[in-house]
Amino acid sequence: MTQNKNLVSAFRPQTAGAISYAPLGTKVPTNAVDELDTKFVKLGYISEDGMTKSYDFDSDTEKAWGGDVINNIFNGKTSTFEFKLVELLNSEVNKAVFGGKNVTGDLENGLVVKDTNTEPESFAWVVDMIGKNGVLVRIVIPSASITDMDDTTYATSESAGYDITITPQANAEGVTNITYIQKPKTVAAENAPVASTGGETHNV
C-alpha cells in the first residue's frame, strides 16, 4: 500500500458534543453512523485537550544467560480514557461523575450534588468524533466506571471541570471497547432515476 496523506487525520468533536453516556445495559451502536439509543445523554463541552486513550501493558521479559531476550510473557493489557468535562453546572455531567442517586434538583430550583465514598457507578459510553474529509469515528465502551479523577480548581483564570479517567470492563469475549470508522452516509440524489412512459419522463 502506498502512502496516502488523506488517511492521516486529527479529530474534532461532533457539533452536539463528543461524549455520551447511558445506563448500563443500554443498547450500544454497532457502527459509526447510526443514531444513538435515546437513553444516551451527551455531556457537552470537553476541554481543549480532547480525550486521551492510554494503554498499560503488563508483561515480563525473560533473558537467557548472557542477556539475550528469549521470551516475552504477556499478562494482560488495560485501556483507559481520560477527558475533562467542563460543563460543571450541567446536572447530567454531575450524574455521570457522582452517580444519578447523588444528584437532585435543577439550576432553576437548586441543584444538589452529594460527593460520597461509594463505588463509582458503571455506565455505557460512546465517543463520537469527526476526522479528515468528514470521516466519522466512534468509540463504543459498553461498560466503564470512573477509576481516577484529578483535582477540580475553582478560579477566575480557568474553567472548572471534572478531569476523569474511565476504565472499561471486558465482555465475555474479552473486548473492552470498539472503534468504528466510516464515511458519513451520502444524501440521496435530488433527482431519482427516471423512467420513460410514452413521450414523458417521470421520477420513480
Side-chain angles (χ1 to χ4, degrees):
M1 183 176 179
T2 60
Q3 295 174 324
N4 187 343
K5 64 182 180 181
N6 287 324
L7 300 181
V8 178
S9 183
F11 299 94
R12 66 183 188 276
Q14 289 197 355
T15 303
I19 298 178
S20 306
Y21 86 116
L24 200 62
T26 299
K27 181 180 178 181
V28 296
T30 56
N31 57 52
V33 297
D34 286 349
E35 293 292 328
L36 294 178
D37 187 288
T38 56
K39 293 180 181 178
F40 276 96
V41 177
K42 290 190 176 295
L43 294 175
Y45 282 112
I46 305 299
S47 72
E48 64 179 349
D49 293 329
M51 182 184 73
T52 300
K53 181 179 183 180
S54 300
Y55 301 93
D56 183 13
F57 279 79
D58 182 5
S59 61
D60 297 312
T61 300
E62 289 186 333
K63 294 183 179 180
W65 190 11
D68 291 340
V69 175
I70 58 173
N71 195 16
N72 291 316
I73 301 174
F74 177 67
N75 299 313
K77 180 187 74 176
T78 302
S79 301
T80 60
F81 297 85
E82 181 184 2
F83 48 88
K84 184 177 180 180
L85 302 164
V86 294
E87 292 191 15
L88 189 138
L89 306 181
N90 185 329
S91 62
E92 289 296 340
V93 167
N94 283 282
K95 289 177 183 178
V97 174
F98 297 102
K101 295 181 180 179
N102 293 317
V103 180
T104 56
D106 53 40
L107 287 179
E108 191 68 26
N109 300 296
L111 187 63
V112 178
V113 181
K114 296 179 181 178
D115 191 349
T116 68
N117 197 32
T118 56
E119 181 180 357
E121 191 172 347
S122 292
F123 297 107
W125 304 77
V126 172
V127 183
D128 282 310
M129 298 170 283
I130 303 174
K132 182 180 285 188
N133 299 322
V135 172
L136 302 178
V137 178
R138 169 176 280 170
I139 301 176
V140 176
I141 310 167
S143 176
S145 60
I146 296 174
T147 53
D148 197 13
M149 184 171 173
D150 286 351
D151 297 342
T152 299
T153 301
Y154 299 89
T156 57
S157 57
E158 63 178 295
S159 298
Y162 303 126
D163 191 339
I164 63 174
T165 297
I166 62 173
T167 301
Q169 293 95 40
N171 63 14
E173 288 75 39
V175 179
T176 60
N177 62 94
I178 303 174
T179 301
Y180 298 101
I181 305 172
Q182 186 174 343
K183 291 182 178 179
K185 292 180 179 179
T186 57
V187 178
E190 185 176 347
N191 296 317
V194 295
S196 176
T197 58
E200 300 180 5
T201 57
H202 300 275
N203 290 336
V204 293

